[in-house]
Amino acid sequence: MAQPYEPNRPDTSVEEMDADAARAEIERLSGLIADADIAYHSNDAPEIPDADYDAAKRRLKALEHRFPDLITSDSPTGRVGAPASDGFGKVQHAVRMLSLSNAFEDAEITDFDERIRKFLGLSATAPLAYTAEPKIDGLSLSLRYEGGLLVSAATRGDGSVGENVTPNARTIADIPDRIDIDGVVEIRGEVYMSHDDFSALNARGSDSGAKTFANPRNAAAGSLRQLDPTVTASRPLRFFAYTWGELGKPLGSTQMGAIARMSQLGFQTNPLTTICDGPEDMLAQYRKIEATRASLGYDIDGVVYKVDDLKLQDKLGFRSTTPRWAIAHKFPAELAWTVLEAIDIQVGRTGALSPVARLRPVTVGGVVVSNATLHNEDYIAGRSNTGESIRDGRDIRVGDWVQVKRAGDVIPKVVDVDLSRRDASSRPYVFPATCPECGSDAIREAGDAVHRCSGGLICPAQAIERLKHFVSRGAFDIEGFGAKQVELFYNDTDLPIREPSEIFSLARRDAANLPKLRNRDGFGERSVAKLFEAIEARRVIPLARVLFALGIRHLGETGAAILARHYGTWVAFETATTRATVGSGPEWDDLTSIDGVGDVMAASVITAMQQEAERASFDRLVAELEIQAAEKTVVFTGTLEKMTRAAAKARAESLGAKVAGSVSAKTDLVVAGPGAGSKAQAAEKLGIEMIDEDAWLRLIGDA
Ligand code: IVH
């Protein structure tokens, strides 16, 4: 049984933790979540309450937010859903099942519309229709029909590979066994349970001593994910169709038309789905749906807006895990009042000064919260970044009673203040003009909401955070050189390491450095040799890792992989980003046309590459390395012995490679295990480089 989760105890708040405590806590929470996932998904027998599970996940996310270098590649927060459980067969989705980005405020819906118009080059007044529909709180299911017959039903799983629940899906009355349409048709939607059916099921369960469920969503998930379909058949599940995967022929030319077509084919579609002609209409529809929420008879947790025209959806495409053409507007989160005891400033990897509210601990929706974000100077002062007043201009002061909101996202925020309880002696909060870590000026540039420490790499907080990021798992991942060693070497008087290139020059100057190192605590001759070996092993490194390791703002692991795949080599990347101008020109257009690269990421990459000191430090690093060009297309064939095919694929993709299912002239590399057959022959015929699994692991630096 998983350990019960103890929510944020005041003595272990995320903000107060050091890296070692955080690592231990991340390990504990990851284990707890993994256990809970197995209990819930595989055994259909949840062992901890939903609220505790959510709290554990939220805390893990908060820890990862504060210590990004401690994020593990298999972190439960990085998954879309959970991996397919072993008890079920696996189904590879022909089209990935993605998730939706979330919005919580009305203004985010206007922003969404503006973003879309900008992307499509539409003026503010050009007609642009959206659909609005309830966000059903159940679990998604993909139904594949071939020649009109239901051939498979799969859960989302990790988005790429789901669980085969076909026999179970066949027992659901809302899911037709056959539809009047030829070719391939994948219908996707949500399996859910009504409130009445949920109560009746739980009543039956408690009468007979069987398991009861915490909420209808859990009941629906637990009922669908049964190894015995007769159990599913006894559970009152329902299904709303709202989207699709692979299609032989389009279902329509608009979202609304496609929904009508799915209804015609015999699927239930949500009757509250409407067309809206813009943000105002969308928000009106949101209020309408929110007002019906209590009487609907099933759970919804927000409203989903989608661009109605499917051609425009195609143009807009996807970010790494979410479509650009849709957004989920969630219903408000839970709120609570407490006392603001202090405001602390944290300095991040990119120098941003973040004000953190230290709160008298308060329970918000079942979780004890003792820290919350205050965003930035303007937010504390009661104005938006553009100078308009927020909270009717009420500022926030130490000692105030404040309202805390824990939205569907991770970090709680202070959202309001009660002036009637303000102490007469309180004074407005003055945002520091200098960095609390290095004393450099904290500069707020015009148009930017954030104060940034101007110390750059001389600011120990920034430099250390950057180095920690540099050696972290998805980046250089140097064995024996983690967060602890970063702190140790940074503060060393003999052999300080203040920037990434110095890690490599340390190993190069080994003759001179060895004696100095050898005399240190914990550094015997053998351990120094081992450390140098580990550093040397990373001198040859894939481009995607290097790009991620640079620690450029807004450039995460996925973004780095996308850029590596696009540019192929460091030289190509460097040339393009050095020549580019933010906002226009061929290099800018090329960069922002990449699926998965937005304007913000593009601008940030260009700025970093053109900032003199930063660039000089990149160049010093690159001079130490042998950067491998991103493999374009890889094919795995035969039996892999060190990992599953899915894991191999995910890893290759995370490094910027494209993984194909068959060998063609476009293939760059074939990884062949024992039993490789026709694909290996094809590779030989086409003269494509072929290596075994071990060579592959060495190539990507995982050996
Ligand atoms: S559209 C490309 N529409 O919400 C993504 N999703 O948070 C297409 N969901 O995984 C999803 N109601 O399980 C869509 N009306 C609706 C929905 C809906 C519920 C779920 C779905 C999705 C999750 C994302």
Side-chain angles (χ1 to χ4, degrees), residues 98-100 133-136 140 156 190 242-243 304 306 323:
L98 295 174
S99 131
L100 292 169
E133 61 194 277
K135 185 170 188 304
I136 317 295
S140 45
R156 183 164 72 171
E190 203 86 351
Y242 51 67
T243 192
V304 183
K306 297 172 187 167

Side-chain angles (χ1 to χ4, degrees), residues 540-544 568-570 626-631 698-701:
V540 182
I541 188 135
L543 178 60
T569 61
W570 170 263
E626 188 185 316
I627 301 175
Q628 294 162 304
E631 287 294 347
R698 276 196 301 278
L699 181 69
I700 61 172

Side-chain angles (χ1 to χ4, degrees), residues 80 96-102 133-141 156 188-190 240-244 255 270 273 301-306 318 321-323 325-326 328 330:
V80 175
R96 280 209 335 129
M97 287 182 86
L98 295 174
S99 131
L100 292 169
S101 56
N102 289 327
E133 61 194 277
K135 185 170 188 304
I136 317 295
D137 197 7
L139 78 155
S140 45
L141 185 68
R156 183 164 72 171
R188 291 176 176 178
E190 203 86 351
F240 274 129
Y242 51 67
T243 192
W244 50 88
Q255 182 74 32
N270 195 285
T273 309
D301 56 352
V303 173
V304 183
Y305 310 115
K306 297 172 187 167
F318 296 86
T321 59
T322 57
W325 42 264
K330 302 291 281 283

Side-chain angles (χ1 to χ4, degrees), residues 78-115:
R79 296 198 283 255
V80 175
S85 166
D86 282 344
F88 298 91
K90 310 264 187 293
V91 174
Q92 171 90 41
H93 295 300
V95 175
R96 280 209 335 129
M97 287 182 86
L98 295 174
S99 131
L100 292 169
S101 56
N102 289 327
F104 298 92
E105 314 287 341
D106 290 1
E108 293 175 68
I109 305 311
T110 329
D111 293 349
F112 169 68
D113 176 61
E114 277 172 12
R115 260 196 322 271

Side-chain angles (χ1 to χ4, degrees), residues 422-453:
R422 175 171 285 173
D423 196 284
S425 66
S426 79
R427 291 281 163 271
Y429 176 73
V430 181
F431 205 91
T434 54
C435 170
E437 299 284 345
C438 72
S440 302
D441 289 343
I443 292 169
R444 184 175 165 189
E445 285 184 3
D448 197 355
V450 175
H451 283 76
R452 283 179 202 285
C453 163

